[in-house]
Amino acid sequence: MAALAAAPTQPTETGAPAMTLVTPAAADTAAAAPTPSRMLTGDRPTGRLHLGHYFGTLHNRVRLQDAGVETFLIIADYQVLTDRDVAEHLAEHVEDLVLDYLAAGIDPARTTVFTHSAVPALNQLLLPFLSLVSVAELQRNPTVKDEIAHSRQSTVSGLMFTYPAHQAADILFCKADVVPVGQDQLPHLEVTRTIARRFNDRYGRVFPEPEALLSAAPLVLGTDGTKMSKSRGNAIALSATADETAKLIRRATTDADRTITYDPDRRPGVSGLLLLAAHCLGRAPEDIAAEIGDAGAARLKALVTEVVNEHFAPLRARRADLARDRAYLHGILREGNARANEIADRTLREVRTAMGMDYGV
Ligand code: TRP
């Protein structure tokens, strides 16, 4: 893990174009490491992924996969229930995630895609894991506190406090040693490392202590100049058509200053558009701003529409093709679930043996 520990753990300054992302280099390091790495990360199935997800994490997952890191992607369906009473449209959202993954370059021959709910042995790991953390530790988790503050529920469920231990099961069932995540997931990774360490101390070594792999968290702003997020209604979905994209960008917030400059603090709308173009072109947003100069927001929007649509055309074409073959999609998930089950069963057997629960019956 020494090589990975050397990978940057701080997000770089905002506004860095996609080319300066740090994780691709880390991917190469991981691939070259003497022990092959296993990476696990995932998403809650709450909707289609957008350009913020793509430039923020999805692109890097594909880079890691392509660099030879054995990859697991969990579709965290039980986790959807942390902040709402009912997880709606799950089947549709799960299919959308699989489509977004595959269209972005996730290769099911090299990456295991699966859902929580299909892997009973993974879920059973939650029980011993819960015995390894205190209630106080669970209550201190800053990400959980933040989610409670923004929850749409009037009461807080037990799942809200315990899902970080469940997330430890997501990661440890396959003994992943690398977990690419954003800053907000670091407390959960700390819980995971604590559980792995305590389990090993108490029962003998079974688990690695996985490392977080922080991506450089490139700034991706939505069409209103604030962080791109589905719940803010400012997102451009990966799966949007060229026309939908044009419409969203046409309506994007800009300002009255005709000269285009990159200034995320004072001109978030214009800067967000510049960043989208910058990520697509692999160029600095300042350079693109200078090129547009006095041509104004209309020219900027025309350019952003063109480069976004051009950049994502192949992905969107692949996605549309795949969406026509639901039997294929279901097959990918069925195979992913089967592989995850095989590994989870093996790990659970090890865990029970270590805990003295192998009764020879
Ligand atoms: N908590 C993550 C999120 O909200 C999703 C997730 C579930 C996850 N299990 C995981 C991420 C395991 C990394 C590893 O985005």
Side-chain angles (χ1 to χ4, degrees):
M1 290 317 295
L4 280 170
T9 53
Q10 292 299 316
T12 59
E13 70 281 17
T14 53
M19 283 176 73
T20 63
L21 284 178
V22 195
T23 32
D28 297 339
T29 315
T35 41
S37 292
R38 191 175 261 194
M39 131 185 156
L40 180 137
T41 188
D43 302 280
R44 297 178 183 183
T46 53
R48 298 182 174 198
L49 298 182
H50 54 63
L51 304 196
H53 293 121
Y54 181 82
F55 292 118
T57 70
L58 194 46
H59 180 63
N60 285 311
R61 296 175 186 176
V62 175
R63 293 288 295 257
L64 284 158
Q65 168 201 266
D66 291 349
V69 178
E70 191 183 357
T71 305
F72 288 76
L73 290 184
I74 185 162
I75 299 178
D77 47 2
Y78 276 127
Q79 219 178 85
V80 176
L81 294 167
T82 51
D83 66 353
R84 61 200 82 187
D85 294 340
V86 179
E88 287 177 316
H89 310 297
L90 271 179
E92 183 189 328
H93 292 332
V94 167
E95 235 172 67
D96 274 330
L97 274 186
V98 177
L99 277 173
D100 286 336
Y101 292 161
L102 297 181
I106 290 297
D107 171 7
R110 287 176 288 170
T111 293
T112 303
V113 180
F114 66 102
T115 56
H116 266 151
S117 56
V119 188
L122 181 161
N123 294 301
Q124 192 173 328
L125 289 175
L126 177 62
L127 292 168
F129 285 5
L130 280 175
S131 77
L132 296 164
V133 282
S134 70
V135 170
E137 281 169 328
L138 292 172
Q139 284 172 334
R140 267 205 297 275
N141 188 307
T143 297
V144 168
K145 282 190 190 168
D146 189 62
E147 284 172 334
I148 289 171
H150 294 101
S151 166
R152 57 184 82 181
Q153 290 177 300
S154 52
T155 59
V156 184
S157 76
L159 185 61
M160 179 62 106
F161 285 108
T162 50
Y163 89 80
H166 191 230
Q167 188 158 325
D170 296 348
I171 296 166
L172 295 177
F173 95 92
C174 67
K175 305 190 181 179
D177 46 21
V178 186
V179 187
V181 283
Q183 196 88 28
D184 65 315
Q185 298 294 304
L186 290 183
H188 302 346
L189 211 78
E190 233 11 80
V191 172
T192 304
R193 292 166 59 84
T194 301
I195 287 175
R197 196 169 50 246
R198 289 181 187 159
F199 187 96
N200 294 343
D201 286 349
R202 218 167 271 186
Y203 302 112
R205 195 186 143 80
V206 171
F207 296 112
E209 267 184 62
E211 308 271 350
L213 191 59
L214 267 183
S215 65
L219 187 63
V220 185
L221 301 177
T223 50
D224 62 353
T226 72
K227 187 180 178 229
M228 190 178 285
S229 148
K230 191 172 150 274
S231 57
R232 295 178 200 229
N234 66 1
I236 301 173
L238 274 181
S239 55
T241 65
D243 283 349
E244 286 162 357
T245 303
K247 201 187 234 172
L248 289 166
I249 293 173
R250 207 177 310 126
R251 291 195 200 133
T253 316
T254 50
D255 54 48
D257 191 342
R258 218 185 139 70
T259 308
I260 299 303
T261 52
Y262 180 65
D263 185 347
D265 288 334
R266 270 176 298 168
R267 306 187 68 188
V270 163
S271 302
L273 290 171
L274 284 166
L275 277 167
L276 282 180
H279 287 309
C280 290
L281 296 169
R283 293 179 53 192
E286 292 87 349
D287 291 352
I288 300 169
E291 247 169 51
I292 297 173
D294 293 337
R299 175 76 199 101
L300 172 63
K301 287 182 174 182
L303 174 84
V304 175
T305 303
E306 185 187 317
V307 300
V308 167
N309 281 340
E310 196 167 304
H311 189 73
F312 287 101
L315 182 154
R316 288 167 168 175
R318 262 197 308 279
R319 198 185 189 287
D321 276 347
L322 290 161
R324 279 192 276 278
D325 196 347
R326 297 179 72 207
Y328 173 75
L329 290 182
H330 292 168
I332 299 296
L333 206 49
R334 200 177 315 116
E335 274 171 38
N337 287 340
R339 178 156 164 65
N341 268 305
E342 222 174 88
I343 296 169
D345 287 344
R346 205 180 314 140
T347 303
L348 182 62
R349 262 198 308 276
E350 269 180 76
V351 161
R352 288 162 60 184
T353 301
M355 296 177 75
M357 289 173 173
D358 178 0
Y359 308 125
V361 293

